[in-house]
Amino acid sequence: MSVRDHSGLPLEKFNGLWKRGDVDTTPRDHFSDCNNIDYIAQSTFGTRPGIAISQDVLVPLSNIKRIYNYPTQSANTLIVLTYNYDTGYGSIHHVVDANTVYGPLLSIKGMTDFAFVPYAGRAYISPFSDYVNGDLTFQKGLANEFLYVYDGLGNRARKAAGSGLSGAMTVANGAAGHTDPGQHIFGFVSQTVSGYNAPPTILTSFITAAASSVSFGSIPTSGDPNVVKRLLVATKVLPTFNGDLSGYQFFFVPNAIINNNTDTFLNNISFYDADLLADASALLDNYTSIPAGASLTLYHNRLCLAATATDISLILVSKAGEPEAINQITGLIVVPLDGNPITNEQEMRDVLYVFKRSKTTSFTDNDGDPSSWPEVVIDNSLGTCVHGIATVLDSGSSTVDFLLIATYQGISQFNGKYVTPELSWKIEDLWKQLDRNKFGNIQIINAPIQKEIYIILPTSQMLMGNYANGMDWKSMRWSPWSFRMGINTVAIQNIDDIILGADIN
């Protein structure tokens, strides 16, 4: 049989998957069904790249639940969570390269996921898991767990922050020197290798003499091996003393430092009250153990942690430049309560955007305490999930001027508001068939070198979007990618290496 008077319809471009409306409405240059397609340049396509084991070690990591890119001071590395289904423990590892794996750095029962930010070569790690409340599954920090810090050198991760010194010290007049005469309260602040200053402790009252310096003995050392310094603090002369040693304003005494964790004395310290300028009182209100949360980010050089086990609408914000110094009074932001946890936070254009699953708000640093930062509601219907903002290359989450965000309506550009139509407009039916109660499994990354977006779906498969022809709903080319194993996570390393994490089966 032949068909007369029929000429073919040449397709100059194949524009990918179409999953919107009736199959019969699929445009000629799209497919109603396709799988494992990769797009080459602007008009051709082929089979997606293959995959291979990325580790060249005797026992490669398996049952990988989460991978983050971890830039250290000297290399571009990975921080990886594995999960043992038999014991219920999640374990953190540091993959330096194909041949070098440190860990486990941290093992916690029930840790099925973790939030992460790198800072000054260190890794800040916050364990979390899924919780069920009625028909809703959501993520929040593990109960009775904490924020941890890893030094990047293969040592075990430790709890961030820390308690001060315990015990008592002696105070006496020292050699000839000078102080403002009168009653002072003295204490010491211990400092860790990561620069965290603990609250002043071993507080001791002493009446100084005008012509004498002050000497301190029997100064306790810290049981924390990460403590590297102890700094003297003091009040100014107290006209009256009510017996409350911690109820006054403390200052760091200039040049009064023990630069180790072994010496038990500090002798012949002279100072005037006018020299006491650097306030240490705020340290008294800092967390000594920072509760775990489901979201971590950096904003204005401050660490921001949200969605703890007990406060799902609370953001803990550190002092600028001191990620472990979070004030329990002034370092808190309360996002209006609605029964839904904070899922994500991201800085863009000098603004901190905060997301719940179906809400977006913003806060702006006004040079005051975080508790005073003004809030603006951006959208009362669209938000995202815990890994739903695309990371770019091997660093943060925003491109030059916008975010890529996975919302309930699809994959959207966000430039201060959600751009419509969404980028995933062509595959709206596919997206809306996803189980919303499993959106916590979604992860999205942006690979500008390949001009592709990779999205881990709740089905443990991947959705790839190619934007070589433009990043808008009409130009996007989509294709599902499937694998023999379930894919849990994806990361980019060394600019354009795509690293996948999967269960062993």
Side-chain angles (χ1 to χ4, degrees):
M1 182 177 69
S2 62
V3 180
R4 296 180 180 178
D5 302 322
H6 174 77
S7 59
L9 295 174
L11 297 179
E12 295 182 359
K13 293 181 180 180
F14 171 57
N15 286 315
L17 180 66
W18 181 279
K19 284 285 186 181
R20 183 182 178 88
D22 192 273
V23 172
D24 294 337
T25 65
T26 303
R28 293 190 183 98
D29 58 348
H30 291 71
F31 282 171
S32 61
D33 192 15
C34 66
N35 192 32
N36 289 330
I37 297 297
D38 197 14
Y39 302 101
I40 305 166
Q42 294 184 324
S43 59
T44 59
F45 65 93
T47 304
R48 66 158 173 81
I51 59 174
I53 297 176
S54 64
Q55 300 168 68
D56 190 15
V57 294
L58 185 62
V59 183
L61 299 177
S62 60
N63 291 337
I64 294 173
K65 293 299 183 183
R66 187 65 56 204
I67 304 174
Y68 289 97
N69 183 271
Y70 173 27
T72 66
Q73 301 283 28
S74 59
N76 192 313
T77 67
L78 300 173
I79 197 107
V80 178
L81 171 67
T82 62
Y83 187 74
N84 187 315
Y85 286 94
D86 294 326
T87 65
Y89 274 81
S91 297
I92 304 289
H93 305 261
H94 181 197
V95 178
V96 178
D97 54 43
N99 302 294
T100 308
V101 180
Y102 296 139
L105 315 170
L106 184 67
S107 293
I108 299 175
K109 190 173 182 63
M111 176 172 57
T112 58
D113 208 339
F114 72 106
F116 162 83
V117 290
Y119 188 93
R122 301 183 295 274
Y124 286 89
I125 297 165
S126 180
F128 69 86
S129 188
D130 291 348
Y131 290 81
V132 178
N133 183 9
D135 295 331
L136 173 64
T137 299
F138 60 92
Q139 293 73 41
K140 63 179 181 177
L142 277 177
N144 302 313
E145 274 299 337
F146 308 96
L147 177 69
Y148 291 86
V149 58
Y150 165 60
D151 62 9
L153 303 174
N155 299 306
R156 293 279 297 182
R158 60 178 174 84
K159 284 170 58 176
S163 301
L165 304 172
S166 60
M169 66 175 174
T170 61
V171 186
N173 288 321
H178 59 267
T179 58
D180 288 300
Q183 188 164 35
H184 292 77
I185 299 173
F186 294 95
F188 274 89
V189 168
S190 57
Q191 184 180 100
T192 67
V193 67
S194 56
Y196 166 75
N197 289 326
T201 54
I202 57 171
L203 302 178
T204 306
S205 175
F206 182 73
I207 298 175
T208 58
S212 295
S213 62
V214 189
S215 291
F216 306 86
S218 302
I219 302 168
T221 58
S222 173
D224 182 353
N226 295 288
V227 168
V228 294
K229 293 181 181 180
R230 286 160 293 163
L231 300 88
L232 179 66
V233 295
T235 64
K236 296 182 180 181
V237 171
L238 304 177
T240 60
F241 177 50
N242 63 11
D244 180 6
L245 291 171
S246 62
Y248 297 92
Q249 187 174 16
F250 286 87
F251 300 87
F252 289 100
V253 178
N255 304 313
I257 301 172
I258 305 173
N259 284 301
N260 57 54
N261 190 29
T262 55
D263 291 344
T264 59
F265 59 88
L266 184 64
N267 292 329
N268 304 322
I269 300 300
S270 289
F271 67 96
Y272 290 115
D273 284 3
D275 300 327
L276 302 179
L277 301 175
D279 187 14
S281 297
L283 301 179
L284 292 166
D285 295 321
N286 283 354
Y287 284 93
T288 55
S289 296
I290 301 169
S295 174
L296 284 178
T297 195
L298 295 173
Y299 172 59
H300 281 193
N301 207 27
R302 300 172 183 261
L303 185 140
C304 304
L305 179 150
T308 68
T310 56
D311 296 289
I312 59 175
S313 290
L314 187 68
I315 306 174
L316 283 59
V317 184
S318 80
K319 183 178 178 181
E322 299 183 36
E324 299 172 56
I326 300 177
N327 191 287
Q328 298 179 72
I329 299 171
T330 61
L332 305 180
I333 297 175
V334 179
V335 180
L337 310 181
D338 58 6
N340 293 300
I342 296 166
T343 56
N344 218 312
E345 313 152 88
Q346 175 60 42
E347 178 178 2
M348 185 181 72
R349 295 187 200 151
D350 213 37
V351 175
L352 177 65
Y353 290 95
V354 178
F355 303 84
K356 295 189 174 186
R357 62 188 184 126
S358 56
K359 186 171 185 175
T360 303
T361 61
S362 71
F363 295 87
T364 305
D365 188 346
N366 60 5
D367 294 326
D369 294 325
S371 58
S372 72
W373 294 352
E375 179 197 16
V376 176
V377 176
I378 304 299
D379 198 297
N380 270 318
S381 60
L382 293 178
T384 192
C385 46
V386 289
H387 301 292
I389 300 178
T391 55
V392 180
L393 292 180
D394 41 30
S395 56
S397 296
S398 65
T399 60
V400 173
D401 209 32
F402 62 89
L403 306 174
L404 294 177
I405 301 181
T407 73
Y408 283 158
Q409 78 170 359
I411 305 300
S412 299
Q413 287 179 304
F414 180 84
N415 58 15
K417 66 177 182 178
Y418 291 95
V419 177
T420 56
E422 62 275 13
L423 294 177
S424 55
W425 185 88
K426 292 180 183 179
I427 55 168
E428 180 182 57
D429 291 353
L430 179 153
W431 190 262
K432 291 190 174 179
Q433 288 171 0
L434 299 175
D435 186 346
R436 288 187 177 181
N437 221 21
K438 295 183 179 179
F439 263 46
N441 297 333
I442 288 177
Q443 184 183 4
I444 176 171
I445 66 170
N446 180 13
I449 304 302
Q450 291 91 337
K451 290 185 170 57
E452 291 180 339
I453 304 167
Y454 304 110
I455 305 160
I456 304 298
L457 299 176
T459 59
S460 297
Q461 298 299 312
M462 181 182 285
L463 178 65
M464 186 278 292
N466 180 283
Y467 57 89
N469 293 335
M471 189 180 283
D472 58 75
W473 70 270
K474 187 179 296 185
S475 304
M476 290 294 300
R477 295 178 290 179
W478 296 98
S479 175
W481 285 7
S482 59
F483 305 86
R484 294 184 62 185
M485 71 291 288
I487 301 298
N488 298 321
T489 184
V490 60
I492 302 179
Q493 186 180 30
N494 298 323
I495 299 179
D496 58 0
D497 292 336
I498 307 302
I499 308 294
L500 304 177
D503 286 331
I504 195 168
N505 297 318

